Amino acid sequence: MAQLSVRNVTKSYGAVNVLNQVSVEAEEGAFVVLLGPSGCGKSTLLHAIAGLHEIDSGEIRIGDRDVSGLPARERDVAMVFQSYALYPTMSVRENIGFPLKMRGLDKAAIAENVDKVAAILKIEPLLERRPRELSGGQRQRVAIGRALVRDPKLFLFDEPLSNLDAALRGDLRAEIKRLHQRIKCTMVYVTHDQIEAMTLATKIVIMNRGDVQQVGTPHEIYHNPVNLFVARFIGSPPITLLQGKAQLGAAGLSFVIMGGGSRAELSLPDRSWKPDDAGETVMGLRPENIRITQSAQPVTTAIVDLVEPTGPEDIVTLNIMGQRAVIRTPAGIAAQGAQVGIEIDLDRAMLFDPASGARLA
């Protein structure tokens, strides 16, 4: 395994900038996930690391080598594609062993290495089958095995689970996580699925329109997004964004919501940011930060717009003074159309500038 360092990489197609001075660091043994919407540049960046796309400027280092100008075959990386890319006329054993055959290893060494990889991935019973005889999940395990047998410095995954159904996706996601914990190899993984990113990554790189928006652990990305884009992109159910005004008074900083003839003033804990005057502000609240309460003195009240049962809990959409909030509740405590009291964990509230999207506090 090796450290990966991407420094100020740019890539354009004509007048379209796909990567804008992108920098990413992956420590040895890290699991780095490149996350963002379609067209954000994440797959282009992965292909640039692999050597499948030339970069316009910048530097890519794997270990102590600058590989920016090297062809893919000389970078000592292994890539797992969304489409499996298996040879249909070869058996599973032959598919996995093919990279070793191309290196000139003898049959005994190839067989030994294939057997080891098959045992790790628990695909020993499949070794003599052809790809057409396998399910989608089994084919992807074989593709991972073909990458694993090469013992590369760096593993690259290009949306490997997107062709699978939800159940298989969950199973294989867990297997990839166990594999990383076992072999402790540096991995870079591209996805647009935030659940994959949050469950697999030791570090997440959020991208949008060719720019890196934020780099951090899943915990940091979720609880401390640096801007509205990251806050909106991460979280299921999505973050609640309440429009209001922040103001500084004798009692300290507060956030005022008005609508439907009602007004609620929320006193905020001490923050490093202090507005000069009352200004338009957006308050961000995760679903777990808003709760339905039976207290005689709720922070404010809301109307239950929608209840979506999921089994042990309900996803509840609230109307708070004409604004939408989505929360999780224990099953059965909210009825559609009811007026309920709510309390808010203001210690966890985030404040954003509605114009620039930047985090204020």
Side-chain angles (χ1 to χ4, degrees):
M1 63 181 176
Q3 180 179 358
L4 169 70
S5 182
V6 177
R7 300 173 184 171
N8 301 315
V9 165
T10 64
K11 175 68 177 177
S12 299
Y13 294 108
V16 179
N17 293 326
V18 183
L19 298 174
N20 304 314
Q21 298 287 322
V22 170
S23 296
V24 175
E25 298 288 331
E27 300 76 15
E28 287 190 12
F31 197 123
V32 175
V33 174
L34 307 180
L35 177 67
S38 297
C40 72
K42 58 188 184 295
S43 288
T44 300
L45 178 57
L46 190 79
H47 292 173
I49 294 168
L52 302 178
H53 291 334
E54 292 184 6
I55 59 176
D56 298 332
S57 63
E59 183 181 73
I60 299 173
R61 301 187 70 86
I62 298 175
D64 57 1
R65 288 199 309 160
D66 181 355
V67 301
S68 307
L70 295 181
R73 64 180 179 276
E74 296 180 18
R75 297 195 181 194
D76 197 12
V77 303
M79 192 160 180
V80 178
F81 296 92
Q82 175 182 343
S83 60
Y84 318 133
L86 302 177
Y87 298 107
T89 59
M90 293 184 184
S91 68
V92 168
R93 179 182 291 280
E94 291 168 330
N95 264 284
I96 295 175
F98 187 73
L100 302 182
K101 182 179 179 180
M102 296 304 294
R103 288 183 184 175
L105 269 68
D106 62 58
K107 290 184 178 180
I110 293 173
E112 180 182 354
N113 281 281
V114 169
D115 287 341
K116 286 180 182 178
V117 167
I120 290 172
L121 297 173
K122 297 181 173 60
I123 55 173
E124 300 102 315
L126 309 179
L127 288 175
E128 306 312 319
R129 296 188 191 178
R130 296 287 190 272
R132 66 177 178 274
E133 301 172 286
L134 306 178
S135 68
Q138 290 170 336
R139 291 179 191 179
Q140 198 56 283
R141 287 184 183 90
V142 175
I144 292 170
R146 188 175 56 191
L148 185 60
V149 79
R150 295 177 55 187
D151 191 25
K153 289 183 177 178
L154 187 65
F155 280 95
L156 306 176
F157 293 84
D158 191 3
E159 302 201 53
L161 309 184
S162 60
N163 285 339
L164 306 179
D165 63 39
L168 275 176
R169 205 158 53 236
D171 290 344
L172 197 50
R173 185 178 69 225
E175 288 189 25
I176 291 172
K177 188 176 183 74
R178 291 190 192 98
L179 176 65
H180 176 254
Q181 292 172 342
R182 183 180 303 160
I183 67 174
K184 296 180 172 58
C185 185
T186 310
M187 296 183 176
V188 182
Y189 186 106
V190 161
T191 185
H192 60 270
D193 186 325
Q194 60 164 298
I195 302 301
E196 284 180 28
M198 295 292 286
T199 55
L200 288 173
T202 59
K203 178 188 288 186
I204 297 176
V205 179
I206 303 281
M207 298 184 65
N208 188 39
R209 297 179 179 178
D211 293 310
V212 173
Q213 298 290 314
Q214 186 172 356
V215 179
T217 65
H219 185 274
E220 289 166 346
I221 295 287
Y222 183 81
H223 291 289
N224 292 298
V226 297
N227 57 37
L228 277 172
F229 175 83
V230 176
R232 288 189 180 109
F233 198 79
I234 288 289
S236 181
I239 192 169
T240 289
L241 297 172
L242 298 177
Q243 306 286 333
K245 291 186 176 182
Q247 60 185 28
L248 193 60
L253 184 64
S254 63
F255 183 78
V256 179
I257 311 171
M258 300 180 68
S262 300
R263 181 181 189 275
E265 183 171 346
L266 311 178
S267 296
L268 298 174
D270 288 339
R271 302 294 178 104
S272 57
W273 173 73
K274 305 294 184 186
D276 295 329
D277 300 294
E280 297 295 330
T281 309
V282 174
M283 175 182 282
L285 297 162
R286 294 295 184 190
E288 61 272 20
N289 302 148
I290 305 174
R291 294 178 293 275
I292 292 175
T293 179
Q294 303 299 321
S295 168
Q297 294 182 315
V299 169
T300 187
T301 60
I303 302 297
V304 178
D305 264 353
L306 185 67
V307 178
E308 300 174 86
T310 65
E313 64 180 13
D314 295 339
I315 306 300
V316 177
T317 302
L318 301 173
N319 182 323
I320 302 175
M321 299 183 202
Q323 300 192 55
R324 180 174 177 267
V326 182
I327 67 172
R328 294 188 191 92
T329 70
I333 73 165
Q336 192 160 327
Q339 179 171 300
V340 294
I342 60 171
E343 58 184 15
I344 297 173
D345 184 355
L346 294 171
D347 288 328
R348 294 286 187 178
M350 315 168 206
L351 300 179
F352 300 91
D353 183 326
S356 68
R359 178 81 177 266
L360 299 173

